Amino acid sequence: MDTEKLERIISFSKTLNLLYVVKDKNNINNNINFFQNYFNKVAYVDKGIDALNSFQEDIYSIVITDIDLADINGFELIKKLREFNKRLITIIYSENEDRESFFKTIELKIDGYLMPPFEENKFFEILFKVIEICKEKSENKKLKHQYHELLNKNSIISKTNKDGVITFVNDNFCKISEYSKEELIGRTHAIVRHPETPDAFYKDLWNTIKNKKIEWSGVIKNLSKTGKTYYIKTTIKPILDSNNEIVEYISIRSNISTIMSDKKHLIDKIEAKRLFLLILIQIEDFDILDKFYNLLTVDKLEKTFAFNMLSYLPNSYVFDNIYNIGNGRFALLADFFDYSSTDTNIKEYLETFIKNIRKSTLVIDEIEYDLNIIVSYSFGKEHLYEDAKCGLDEAINKKEMIKYANDSSIKEHIEAKKNMEIIKMVKIALDNYKIVSYFQPIINNKTKKLEKYESLVRLVDESGNVLSPLSFLDISKKGNYYNKITHRVLENSFKILEHISTKISINLSSLDIEKELTQTKLFELLDEYKDYASRIVFELLEDEHVKDFNVIKNFIKKVKALGVQIAIDDFGAGYSNFERLLEFDPDILKIDGSLVKNIVNDTYSRNVVETIVTFAKKQNIITIAEYVENEEIFNILNDLGVDYSQGYYFGEPKHISI
């Protein structure tokens, strides 16, 4: 045996007291001297009764005994000695070689079996094996203690007897409930029951745990001593005795009232590349709430909704965390296999979730809020968040309540690729002066003579195809090319004034006017072409996203002072109102094309157009009708008193050569 191994054995044995049980203690052999060199204390007796008495008087860690003692069998002696010390190290030293003795040794889990003559090396091998076993048991015990300590530190634990009376609570239970142990023990959990939790909930809970083989898991809404609401994820398990009868219930809970508020935590979790179920939740019309209420109220609403969210979810599955990812949007994440093991139908689960929210009311500062939600969900490892996000955006746009979003990000990727191709096409067109202006005639209804043109943007692609703004203008806004297109259209439109004698109408959006660079460009051109200012009309596109109406009003005032006329485009649709109209002090109203197109067969459209014309004449404002496609439409408009017409009946947009 190597020196290091022997040193470990001696270091171990020197801490032990040995009881050596021999047939005749008067016939002492050299073994005693050997044992005394390696053990802390050695006692030797020749009868079982003396061994038992010795254990009552002193503590022994190891016993070496013969099988055939005078008064008791060695195996029976070991059984009795283990009643004093369950961790007793046991070694049989006997000449008995029968099979029954060996089987008995195995049955009693004896640590070692020696046969005369005594061999030191074999004895040391037995001790070394014992050392390894003791070390493993010690480490396991230490780990078990750490696990219990950790569980007790991070969990909310209670025990009840079979009638539901509390017999134990840990410090965490007291902390969250705000009751002392003395106030809780001897009572039932009704002491923390929230009055809003229905009786049927607890009836279902008790029916479940009374079934001896089933534990109950779910979220419970509780009320603390001072009246604070808190939510806990709870598992209750029945504890059975040897007769398979329930003796008590143990409940382990975790506080889920705290909400993860960092989107990065969610992304980091997803990037573990496990198979997940992700649910994204959007408070419907949150942007309206955000504009209507102050920041503090909206923040409270978000936090209260998140705090209550798990109580709205069905009990068939409980999510561990809620992620608040901002702007009224939340996420729930679960291990896919954990969720699927519950055999829960995801669509039915989410439908119930939505119904529960619709039935509920949030109260913030004594004001009641009825909320609805839109949800999307996806399964997988790759592009999980991207899929769910794209699905949620699509559901919001289509007014759907639930959207299965797997592979939605692929569709978005295809759309993004298409958008990039459009942006590239716009850039090439700008570089090669292929952003051009086409001009559509505007006719005086009384004289049927051409008196104005509207400047309309077009893009000529590399193949020579002429594209309308519908195919590139909105995408250009996202790619920051919109302002460059506007500047090019302004240049084209002002330049054409030198070659025609009619007025030119140029479209401007609030985005154009609010952009300082575009305003600068406009006034530079107005200064350069000041002799033609009276032939310029700026058509203001109605826009729900105007940031500052004062900027628009100041711009109108400045350009009108230079002789420019102002027209309101698409009047009669969208958010048009006469009060806003008077603030802008327009010279011209362009009647929305959707009203004009339907005017032949739609009485409502005709009545609206007639109302606009009557109002305009009283205010001395000129009216222009767009989308005049045929003679029948023109005649009706003329009869109603509309001043000008624009549409394919009089001419489509064309390029004017200069």
Side-chain angles (χ1 to χ4, degrees), residues 5 54 65 99 121 150 156 160 181 184-185 208 210 212 214 297 365 406 454 465 557 600 629:
K5 200 172 181 180
S54 296
T65 181
R99 289 178 59 193
N121 280 339
L150 187 64
I156 301 160
T160 72
K181 289 183 181 181
L184 291 165
I185 292 173
T208 301
K210 282 180 179 177
K212 300 169 186 177
I214 300 178
T297 300
D365 298 331
N406 269 35
E454 181 179 1
N465 301 308
K557 188 176 179 180
V600 174
E629 306 294 328

Side-chain angles (χ1 to χ4, degrees), residues 3 61 119 121 151 180 275 396 423 450 458 473 524 626 650:
T3 305
S61 307
E119 293 183 33
N121 280 339
L151 183 66
S180 66
L275 195 59
I396 292 167
I423 293 295
L450 191 158
R458 295 291 186 265
L473 204 57
E524 285 176 357
E626 298 180 288
F650 294 104

Side-chain angles (χ1 to χ4, degrees), residues 99 149 246 474 634:
R99 289 178 59 193
E149 191 178 58
I246 296 174
D474 281 344
F634 169 73

